[in-house]
Amino acid sequence: MSKTVIAGNWKMFKTQAETLEFLQGFLGHLNDTPDDREIVLCVPFTALGVLSKNLHGSRVKIGAQNVHWEDSGAYTGEISAPMLVEVGVRYVVIGHSERRQYFGETDQTVNLRLKAAQKHGLIPILCVGETKEQRGAGETESLITLQLKQDLVDIDQSNLVIAYEPIWAIGTGDTCEAKEANRIIGLIRSQLSNPEVPIQYGGSVKPENIDEIMAQPEINGALVGGASLSPEGFARIVNYQ
Ligand code: PGA
């Protein structure tokens, strides 16, 4: 059985003060959340310390949104795995489409970052997914197959989460049909050497659609952007029925 992982991806949102405010509104909603759901908050670097100071004794795991492949060096603007581990980070998002689109991330750099994360015991959340044009051209399956092939070279599949995020569904309110997300996630699973890798769906997940998404047999969790910024909204998502 794959683990269930529900992760919030805050992107470039929330100051330290706003992070504290979120925790005050969110943590009280987790008393009845089933134990077998892993809850993760992937936050900006400046909010990581706030989480590590305020999540003691809580079940919420800390996640980052990027990691460099070297342990240290002249890489202005980057952050290394040992730095993340030191502040209590357990998960790290790698290869998000926004990194690929705006910051020149390639399957080769994604692979290097995945290796560095695993070397230091971090669990990577690898994002894959197609654009609207690729979907329109019937290239979804081949594109995802290629991403997986290149991203997963020499990667340990016992320490990995994958997120299927169709780019056209991210931040658009245009969710992928739950059945179609289930189909693509099944396709992703068929290409893995370890079928137990948790595979999330991401792209306009919200309180209104989480129950249907999580009812799909292949879907093991969600990567949630906009809707993870609201303590009540994200609580409803982790407490899906
Ligand atoms: P969204 O973002 O939930 O706001 O669509 C998802 C993501 O980018 O991970």
Side-chain angles (χ1 to χ4, degrees), residues 7-9 11 93 96-98 127 163 165 169-173 201-206 223-228:
N9 170 18
K11 310 192 179 188
V93 176
H96 190 280
S97 60
E98 287 152 14
C127 302
E165 296 210 311
I170 295 178
T172 58
Y201 167 75
S204 298
V205 173
K206 42 198 172 214
L223 184 57
V224 187
S228 72

mmCIF file of all heavy atoms in Angstrom, residues 7-9 11 93 96-98 127 163 165 169-173 201-206 223-228, ligand 1:
data_model
loop_
_atom_site.group_PDB
_atom_site.id
_atom_site.type_symbol
_atom_site.label_atom_id
_atom_site.label_comp_id
_atom_site.label_asym_id
_atom_site.label_seq_id
_atom_site.Cartn_x
_atom_site.Cartn_y
_atom_site.Cartn_z
ATOM 1 N N ALA A 7 0.282 17.508 0.588
ATOM 2 C CA ALA A 7 1.275 18.564 0.782
ATOM 3 C C ALA A 7 0.738 19.903 0.299
ATOM 4 O O ALA A 7 0.137 19.994 -0.774
ATOM 5 C CB ALA A 7 2.562 18.207 0.038
ATOM 6 N N GLY A 8 0.972 20.932 1.091
ATOM 7 C CA GLY A 8 0.677 22.297 0.666
ATOM 8 C C GLY A 8 1.933 22.867 0.035
ATOM 9 O O GLY A 8 3.037 22.641 0.535
ATOM 10 N N ASN A 9 1.769 23.575 -1.079
ATOM 11 C CA ASN A 9 2.891 24.265 -1.721
ATOM 12 C C ASN A 9 2.552 25.746 -1.693
ATOM 13 O O ASN A 9 1.735 26.210 -2.478
ATOM 14 C CB ASN A 9 3.056 23.752 -3.162
ATOM 15 C CG ASN A 9 4.045 24.591 -3.955
ATOM 16 O OD1 ASN A 9 4.843 25.336 -3.381
ATOM 17 N ND2 ASN A 9 4.001 24.471 -5.273
ATOM 18 N N LYS A 11 4.344 28.229 -2.470
ATOM 19 C CA LYS A 11 5.011 29.054 -3.487
ATOM 20 C C LYS A 11 5.625 30.280 -2.807
ATOM 21 O O LYS A 11 6.115 30.164 -1.689
ATOM 22 C CB LYS A 11 4.034 29.419 -4.613
ATOM 23 C CG LYS A 11 3.308 28.167 -5.123
ATOM 24 C CD LYS A 11 2.548 28.375 -6.389
ATOM 25 C CE LYS A 11 1.912 27.044 -6.790
ATOM 26 N NZ LYS A 11 1.292 27.098 -8.109
ATOM 27 N N VAL A 93 10.086 19.837 -2.728
ATOM 28 C CA VAL A 93 9.495 19.828 -4.073
ATOM 29 C C VAL A 93 10.622 20.038 -5.084
ATOM 30 O O VAL A 93 11.436 20.951 -4.931
ATOM 31 C CB VAL A 93 8.455 20.965 -4.215
ATOM 32 C CG1 VAL A 93 7.912 21.023 -5.646
ATOM 33 C CG2 VAL A 93 7.320 20.793 -3.213
ATOM 34 N N HIS A 96 9.147 21.474 -10.039
ATOM 35 C CA HIS A 96 7.825 22.075 -10.224
ATOM 36 C C HIS A 96 7.801 22.792 -11.576
ATOM 37 O O HIS A 96 8.805 23.367 -12.003
ATOM 38 C CB HIS A 96 7.531 23.053 -9.080
ATOM 39 C CG HIS A 96 6.109 23.525 -9.087
ATOM 40 N ND1 HIS A 96 5.674 24.528 -9.927
ATOM 41 C CD2 HIS A 96 5.030 23.110 -8.387
ATOM 42 C CE1 HIS A 96 4.370 24.709 -9.727
ATOM 43 N NE2 HIS A 96 3.960 23.864 -8.805
ATOM 44 N N SER A 97 6.650 22.813 -12.226
ATOM 45 C CA SER A 97 6.578 23.415 -13.569
ATOM 46 C C SER A 97 6.958 24.889 -13.551
ATOM 47 O O SER A 97 7.482 25.414 -14.535
ATOM 48 C CB SER A 97 5.187 23.236 -14.163
ATOM 49 O OG SER A 97 4.232 23.849 -13.336
ATOM 50 N N GLU A 98 6.730 25.583 -12.422
ATOM 51 C CA GLU A 98 7.125 26.999 -12.368
ATOM 52 C C GLU A 98 8.645 27.135 -12.368
ATOM 53 O O GLU A 98 9.192 28.091 -12.917
ATOM 54 C CB GLU A 98 6.481 27.673 -11.141
ATOM 55 C CG GLU A 98 4.986 27.866 -11.372
ATOM 56 C CD GLU A 98 4.137 27.886 -10.114
ATOM 57 O OE1 GLU A 98 4.685 28.021 -9.006
ATOM 58 O OE2 GLU A 98 2.899 27.750 -10.243
ATOM 59 N N CYS A 127 7.781 16.705 -9.481
ATOM 60 C CA CYS A 127 6.600 17.115 -10.258
ATOM 61 C C CYS A 127 6.805 16.848 -11.749
ATOM 62 O O CYS A 127 7.848 17.203 -12.305
ATOM 63 C CB CYS A 127 6.337 18.610 -10.078
ATOM 64 S SG CYS A 127 6.097 19.099 -8.374
ATOM 65 N N ALA A 163 4.421 13.875 -8.041
ATOM 66 C CA ALA A 163 3.165 14.630 -8.199
ATOM 67 C C ALA A 163 2.882 14.779 -9.679
ATOM 68 O O ALA A 163 3.718 15.304 -10.422
ATOM 69 C CB ALA A 163 3.285 16.002 -7.541
ATOM 70 N N GLU A 165 1.150 16.894 -12.135
ATOM 71 C CA GLU A 165 0.566 18.234 -12.172
ATOM 72 C C GLU A 165 0.418 18.701 -13.615
ATOM 73 O O GLU A 165 1.367 19.258 -14.185
ATOM 74 C CB GLU A 165 1.452 19.215 -11.403
ATOM 75 C CG GLU A 165 1.560 18.915 -9.929
ATOM 76 C CD GLU A 165 1.762 20.178 -9.117
ATOM 77 O OE1 GLU A 165 2.638 20.998 -9.467
ATOM 78 O OE2 GLU A 165 1.028 20.362 -8.140
ATOM 79 N N ALA A 169 -3.747 22.947 -15.444
ATOM 80 C CA ALA A 169 -4.665 22.908 -14.297
ATOM 81 C C ALA A 169 -4.123 23.675 -13.089
ATOM 82 O O ALA A 169 -4.818 23.847 -12.099
ATOM 83 C CB ALA A 169 -4.930 21.457 -13.901
ATOM 84 N N ILE A 170 -2.873 24.154 -13.184
ATOM 85 C CA ILE A 170 -2.253 24.806 -12.032
ATOM 86 C C ILE A 170 -2.688 26.262 -11.932
ATOM 87 O O ILE A 170 -2.477 27.047 -12.865
ATOM 88 C CB ILE A 170 -0.707 24.726 -12.106
ATOM 89 C CG1 ILE A 170 -0.256 23.268 -12.001
ATOM 90 C CG2 ILE A 170 -0.074 25.574 -11.019
ATOM 91 C CD1 ILE A 170 1.236 23.073 -12.112
ATOM 92 N N GLY A 171 -3.318 26.598 -10.819
ATOM 93 C CA GLY A 171 -3.692 27.984 -10.551
ATOM 94 C C GLY A 171 -4.766 28.524 -11.479
ATOM 95 O O GLY A 171 -5.006 29.723 -11.532
ATOM 96 N N THR A 172 -5.419 27.651 -12.221
ATOM 97 C CA THR A 172 -6.397 28.096 -13.216
ATOM 98 C C THR A 172 -7.835 27.848 -12.777
ATOM 99 O O THR A 172 -8.768 28.348 -13.393
ATOM 100 C CB THR A 172 -6.189 27.344 -14.547
ATOM 101 O OG1 THR A 172 -6.300 25.938 -14.283
ATOM 102 C CG2 THR A 172 -4.832 27.631 -15.136
ATOM 103 N N GLY A 173 -8.011 27.033 -11.743
ATOM 104 C CA GLY A 173 -9.355 26.653 -11.334
ATOM 105 C C GLY A 173 -9.890 25.518 -12.208
ATOM 106 O O GLY A 173 -10.957 24.957 -11.974
ATOM 107 N N TYR A 201 -1.906 13.963 -7.054
ATOM 108 C CA TYR A 201 -2.422 14.824 -8.118
ATOM 109 C C TYR A 201 -2.271 16.268 -7.645
ATOM 110 O O TYR A 201 -2.498 16.567 -6.452
ATOM 111 C CB TYR A 201 -3.911 14.544 -8.416
ATOM 112 C CG TYR A 201 -4.480 15.654 -9.267
ATOM 113 C CD1 TYR A 201 -4.159 15.724 -10.614
ATOM 114 C CD2 TYR A 201 -5.236 16.672 -8.695
ATOM 115 C CE1 TYR A 201 -4.589 16.790 -11.386
ATOM 116 C CE2 TYR A 201 -5.678 17.741 -9.459
ATOM 117 C CZ TYR A 201 -5.351 17.798 -10.803
ATOM 118 O OH TYR A 201 -5.766 18.863 -11.553
ATOM 119 N N GLY A 202 -1.903 17.169 -8.559
ATOM 120 C CA GLY A 202 -1.841 18.593 -8.229
ATOM 121 C C GLY A 202 -2.372 19.432 -9.366
ATOM 122 O O GLY A 202 -2.186 19.089 -10.547
ATOM 123 N N GLY A 203 -3.044 20.533 -9.045
ATOM 124 C CA GLY A 203 -3.620 21.423 -10.058
ATOM 125 C C GLY A 203 -5.043 21.768 -9.683
ATOM 126 O O GLY A 203 -5.951 20.976 -9.911
ATOM 127 N N SER A 204 -5.213 22.960 -9.057
ATOM 128 C CA SER A 204 -6.540 23.436 -8.640
ATOM 129 C C SER A 204 -7.277 22.465 -7.720
ATOM 130 O O SER A 204 -8.499 22.316 -7.813
ATOM 131 C CB SER A 204 -7.397 23.799 -9.863
ATOM 132 O OG SER A 204 -6.781 24.853 -10.588
ATOM 133 N N VAL A 205 -6.519 21.813 -6.837
ATOM 134 C CA VAL A 205 -7.165 21.015 -5.785
ATOM 135 C C VAL A 205 -7.771 21.986 -4.780
ATOM 136 O O VAL A 205 -7.154 22.983 -4.407
ATOM 137 C CB VAL A 205 -6.145 20.096 -5.070
ATOM 138 C CG1 VAL A 205 -6.790 19.410 -3.879
ATOM 139 C CG2 VAL A 205 -5.574 19.070 -6.046
ATOM 140 N N LYS A 206 -9.004 21.722 -4.354
ATOM 141 C CA LYS A 206 -9.675 22.604 -3.400
ATOM 142 C C LYS A 206 -10.629 21.782 -2.541
ATOM 143 O O LYS A 206 -10.878 20.592 -2.835
ATOM 144 C CB LYS A 206 -10.390 23.746 -4.119
ATOM 145 C CG LYS A 206 -11.127 23.315 -5.365
ATOM 146 C CD LYS A 206 -11.436 24.509 -6.277
ATOM 147 C CE LYS A 206 -11.998 23.960 -7.585
ATOM 148 N NZ LYS A 206 -11.670 24.691 -8.756
ATOM 149 N N LEU A 223 -0.952 17.632 -4.137
ATOM 150 C CA LEU A 223 -0.037 18.750 -3.964
ATOM 151 C C LEU A 223 -0.890 19.991 -4.227
ATOM 152 O O LEU A 223 -1.420 20.170 -5.321
ATOM 153 C CB LEU A 223 1.141 18.653 -4.936
ATOM 154 C CG LEU A 223 2.230 19.722 -4.804
ATOM 155 C CD1 LEU A 223 2.831 19.750 -3.394
ATOM 156 C CD2 LEU A 223 3.354 19.486 -5.811
ATOM 157 N N VAL A 224 -1.032 20.814 -3.192
ATOM 158 C CA VAL A 224 -2.050 21.859 -3.197
ATOM 159 C C VAL A 224 -1.394 23.232 -3.131
ATOM 160 O O VAL A 224 -0.681 23.526 -2.169
ATOM 161 C CB VAL A 224 -2.979 21.684 -1.967
ATOM 162 C CG1 VAL A 224 -4.146 22.658 -2.056
ATOM 163 C CG2 VAL A 224 -3.454 20.245 -1.828
ATOM 164 N N GLY A 225 -1.635 24.061 -4.140
ATOM 165 C CA GLY A 225 -1.078 25.409 -4.146
ATOM 166 C C GLY A 225 -1.999 26.391 -3.455
ATOM 167 O O GLY A 225 -2.082 26.438 -2.224
ATOM 168 N N GLY A 226 -2.751 27.160 -4.251
ATOM 169 C CA GLY A 226 -3.585 28.241 -3.729
ATOM 170 C C GLY A 226 -4.435 27.868 -2.522
ATOM 171 O O GLY A 226 -4.500 28.615 -1.534
ATOM 172 N N ALA A 227 -5.062 26.701 -2.569
ATOM 173 C CA ALA A 227 -5.985 26.325 -1.484
ATOM 174 C C ALA A 227 -5.256 25.937 -0.195
ATOM 175 O O ALA A 227 -5.897 25.759 0.839
ATOM 176 C CB ALA A 227 -6.897 25.186 -1.940
ATOM 177 N N SER A 228 -3.919 25.824 -0.238
ATOM 178 C CA SER A 228 -3.192 25.495 1.000
ATOM 179 C C SER A 228 -2.853 26.750 1.800
ATOM 180 O O SER A 228 -2.306 26.670 2.899
ATOM 181 C CB SER A 228 -1.902 24.725 0.692
ATOM 182 O OG SER A 228 -0.926 25.566 0.103
HETATM 183 P P1 PGA B 1 -2.736 25.149 -7.442
HETATM 184 O O1 PGA B 1 -1.158 24.835 -7.567
HETATM 185 O O2 PGA B 1 -3.289 24.213 -6.429
HETATM 186 O O3 PGA B 1 -2.798 26.580 -7.025
HETATM 187 O O4 PGA B 1 -3.309 24.904 -8.801
HETATM 188 C C1 PGA B 1 -0.691 23.521 -7.504
HETATM 189 C C2 PGA B 1 0.816 23.515 -7.606
HETATM 190 O O5 PGA B 1 1.372 24.330 -8.351
HETATM 191 O O6 PGA B 1 1.488 22.697 -6.951
#
